[in-house]
Amino acid sequence: MTSCQGQGGTGTLYSYAQLMGLWINNGGNPAVAPVAAAIAEAESGGCSTAQNPTDNGGTQTSWGLWQISNGTHNMPVSNIYDANVNAQQAVAKYKGAGNQFTDWGTYNSGAYTKYLSPGTSPDTTVPVSATLAAASGGSDCAFSLGGQHLGVFFGHGPSLPSVCLVTKGEIRAFLGAGLIVGGAIPMMVGALILAAFAFRASGAQGAVTRAAAAVPTPAGRVAKAGTAAGTRAHKPRQPGPQWRHAKTGPNAPAQGRHAVPAGP
Amino acid sequence: MAAIGFGMLWAGYAVSFWGYTLIRGYNVTFPQLINPVHPYGTTKGQAWPPPLIASGQLLPGKASTPPPAAAAVTTA
């Protein structure tokens, strides 16, 4: 790949097709990849270390291929010159604006149009500059295999190819999927508890039992027996003076909160 | 009983939602997401979707920054 010189140091020059590939590889909509690549060309010329310290009237610094900024002079993320990180930020920005490119001045002004090349196919095999990736500590591989040197000819031999077994993104995806499933369980239990509570508190439970008891089927007879048993077990309150206002008479309790001592 | 039900419902939702953000690669920590006073997105400088987790970083953490979408219009 060709190197280039930006204000952020020596970087990598990406072609239009590679910019499209970066956009797609980092979650961007392939349908708008030509526009995204044209914007990157207009913003940075395709140089990964492009930097504009006096952007937006000097109020902010913009960084990298898509000239990402958080509205200040601070880097949005530490490895913003990493082409993939820059593309990720650009995709997030595009999505955050409601799937529009209106956050880019070159889009609003139409300056990007002269870089448009609709017939170009995206190059999705675009690599990241190893130097930049290393400098940013940006390896996304969590566990890799190989890479050892085979010292077969007095220390001069081939190296095993390094294969990434699991990336950090894959670990996050597995963990996230587990959390979604794990969270769904208490969510369902909670919903069942609430449903049971509402079923009982609303009186629907009794209504259902009574309705089932009225059906002349074995299930209805069981429900009827259950209702009868429940009626025996939970006698309703007897309204009337002897229950609620029993202060005198033969049913007056001898003791208790509402007991009135017998007069002389 | 209703309180227990609501508690379990909310806890399950919070855990599932954080799982979703992990799958999407959003740089949002669990405390940020479930903060009862200022959940993520309600504080100035935070917008949805959040910035993505930086390359080389496994879990959301200190590298959390204001999302690019919240930035002023960039570049000349």
Side-chain angles (χ1 to χ4, degrees):
Chain A
M1 299 188 85
T2 313
S3 63
C4 60
Q5 195 66 35
Q7 285 208 26
T10 303
T12 305
L13 189 66
Y14 289 89
S15 68
Y16 184 86
Q18 288 172 327
L19 289 168
M20 288 173 71
L22 280 169
W23 174 264
I24 294 167
N25 287 348
N26 289 284
N29 182 359
V32 296
V35 177
I39 289 173
E41 289 277 16
E43 296 280 356
S44 64
C47 185
S48 63
T49 51
Q51 179 192 329
N52 182 1
T54 56
D55 201 1
N56 206 20
T59 59
Q60 65 185 47
T61 300
S62 298
W63 317 80
L65 291 170
W66 273 272
Q67 290 290 280
I68 302 299
S69 173
N70 60 7
T72 70
H73 293 289
N74 300 321
M75 277 190 179
V77 289
S78 58
N79 47 357
I80 192 66
Y81 289 134
D82 183 314
N84 280 303
V85 172
N86 205 279
Q88 286 171 9
Q89 296 286 319
V91 170
K93 187 179 222 177
Y94 168 80
K95 290 179 178 174
N99 292 335
Q100 291 181 328
F101 289 105
T102 48
D103 278 343
W104 281 272
T106 50
Y107 176 81
N108 294 329
S109 68
Y112 77 101
T113 52
K114 67 178 181 180
Y115 298 97
L116 275 174
S117 178
T120 305
S121 297
D123 178 6
T124 51
T125 62
V126 56
V128 185
S129 164
T131 309
L132 288 173
S136 63
S139 172
D140 198 41
C141 187
F143 298 104
S144 61
L145 194 66
Q148 290 92 354
H149 183 72
L150 299 176
V152 288
F153 302 113
F154 303 102
H156 300 283
S159 295
L160 287 172
S162 182
V163 179
C164 185
L165 295 177
V166 183
T167 66
K168 290 172 182 171
E170 287 169 344
I171 290 179
R172 277 195 302 272
F174 278 118
L175 186 60
L179 286 174
I180 287 178
V181 174
I185 294 167
M187 220 171 5
M188 283 190 290
V189 172
L192 282 174
I193 289 174
L194 285 178
F197 175 73
F199 190 62
R200 203 180 63 175
S202 66
Q205 187 180 5
V208 168
T209 310
R210 282 192 299 276
V215 179
T217 61
R221 283 194 290 275
V222 170
K224 196 171 184 178
T227 309
T231 307
R232 282 196 299 275
H234 307 288
K235 278 189 175 178
R237 287 182 172 184
Q238 297 296 321
Q242 65 176 354
W243 175 270
R244 296 175 63 190
H245 306 292
K247 293 179 181 178
T248 57
N251 292 328
Q255 292 179 348
R257 287 168 59 192
H258 303 292
V260 177
Chain B
M1 194 163 88
I4 294 171
F6 275 116
M8 292 189 74
L9 202 64
W10 181 80
Y13 165 76
V15 169
S16 293
F17 189 30
W18 196 53
Y20 168 78
T21 64
L22 281 182
I23 289 177
R24 295 300 300 261
Y26 293 149
N27 197 1
V28 183
T29 62
F30 188 67
Q32 277 179 321
L33 203 65
I34 63 164
N35 187 328
V37 184
H38 299 294
Y40 191 90
T42 60
T43 312
K44 189 180 179 184
Q46 293 180 342
W48 201 267
L52 299 177
I53 296 172
S55 178
Q57 192 178 336
L58 180 61
L59 292 173
K62 288 180 180 177
S64 180
T65 54
V73 173
T74 62
T75 70

